[in-house]
């Protein structure tokens, strides 16, 4: 298993945890739909006891208090499992020698290049008769990156590289260069160009299309990574 695939699998597992928490919050919000305010609710057991109601009524009031307390707890930060995983594992990482992980952010440019090339390959399979293991997106990689950068406290070091900005600028410059060369060859009327006009046009179009797809995937990866980083941001 490659390093990129390992990060992706960790991110997919974190995505499942996030999905389960979202489902839990959705279920709790529906259960608390008719509760005026969880924070300022009365103690129903005490009200029933002060009113001199029957033991069955007081027992029902106590169970209602317990249910509302559970609903309140499910909305708290104690169920934010992503941040809890960072907090708990950070202590384990700090207790051990992590010097070999301090340069993890240096590997990210190479990992993102590998990710973009892989995502373009699998997307091309969708147009074939037997797509096999093709897919449209892979958010696990960006979520895994955000998790490890937060866990190792390397966000500032990675951001200092300005990797995504530099990569986008480089691809845009390459697009301008290819377009300019293509236009220049057309206007010069060179013999070599005239004899291979169709072939060179096709090569130029393929190159421009490849760069455009790479630029789109890098931008999408950048946005996904920024969105994933918000999940681990401390309030």
């Amino acid at each position: 298993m490659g390093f990129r695939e390992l990060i992706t699998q960790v991110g997919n597992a974190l995505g499942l945890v996030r999905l389960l928490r979202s489902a839990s919050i959705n279920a709790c919000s529906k259960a608390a739909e008719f509760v005026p305010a969880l924070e300022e609710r009365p103690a129903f057991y005490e009200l029933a006891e002060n009113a001199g109601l029957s033991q069955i009524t007081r027992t029902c009031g106590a169970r209602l208090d317990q249910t509302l307390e559970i609903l309140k707890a499910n909305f708290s930060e104690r169920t934010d499992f992503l941040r809890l995983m960072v907090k708990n594992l950070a202590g384990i990482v700090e207790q051990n020698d992590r010097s070999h992980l301090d340069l993890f952010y240096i590997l990210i440019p190479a990992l993102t290049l590998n990710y973009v090339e892989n995502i373009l390959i699998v997307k091309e399979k969708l147009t074939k008769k037997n797509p096999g293991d093709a897919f449209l997106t892979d958010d696990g990689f960006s979520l895994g990156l955000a998790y490890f950068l937060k866990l190792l406290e390397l966000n500032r070091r990675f951001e200092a590289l300005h990797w995504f900005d530099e990569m986008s600028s480089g691809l845009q410059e390459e697009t301008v260069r290819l377009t300019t060369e293509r236009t220049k060859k057309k206007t010069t009327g060179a013999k070599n160009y005239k004899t291979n006009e169709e072939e060179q046009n096709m090569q130029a179009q393929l190159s421009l299309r490849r760069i455009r797809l790479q630029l789109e995937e890098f931008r999408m990866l950048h946005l996904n990574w920024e969105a994933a980083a918000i999940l681990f941001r401390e309030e």
Side-chain angles (χ1 to χ4, degrees), residues 73-129:
N74 287 335
F75 286 108
S76 67
E77 292 185 356
R78 289 183 297 174
T79 59
D80 192 348
F81 302 115
L82 294 185
R83 293 181 182 176
L84 288 176
M85 291 176 70
V86 172
K87 182 179 180 180
N88 294 333
L89 291 178
I92 298 176
V93 173
E94 291 176 357
Q95 292 175 2
N96 298 285
D97 182 16
R98 46 163 285 183
S99 58
H100 60 291
L101 297 175
D102 288 339
L103 297 178
F104 168 75
Y105 70 99
I106 296 294
L107 299 176
I108 296 180
L111 291 172
T112 56
L113 288 172
N114 181 264
Y115 167 83
V116 169
E117 290 300 321
N118 180 70
I119 200 73
L120 290 177
I121 291 174
V122 296
K123 280 187 175 182
E124 287 179 358
K125 293 182 180 180
L126 291 173
T127 60
K128 297 181 179 180
K129 186 176 182 180

Side-chain angles (χ1 to χ4, degrees), residues 3 7 98-114 141 145 148-149 152-163:
F3 197 24
I7 293 175
R98 46 163 285 183
S99 58
H100 60 291
L101 297 175
D102 288 339
L103 297 178
F104 168 75
Y105 70 99
I106 296 294
L107 299 176
I108 296 180
L111 291 172
T112 56
L113 288 172
N114 181 264
F141 178 68
L145 277 184
F148 282 114
L149 285 173
L152 300 174
E153 299 180 351
L154 296 175
N155 275 304
R156 290 187 177 181
R157 293 187 183 183
F158 174 64
E159 291 173 358
L161 297 178
H162 300 284
W163 168 244

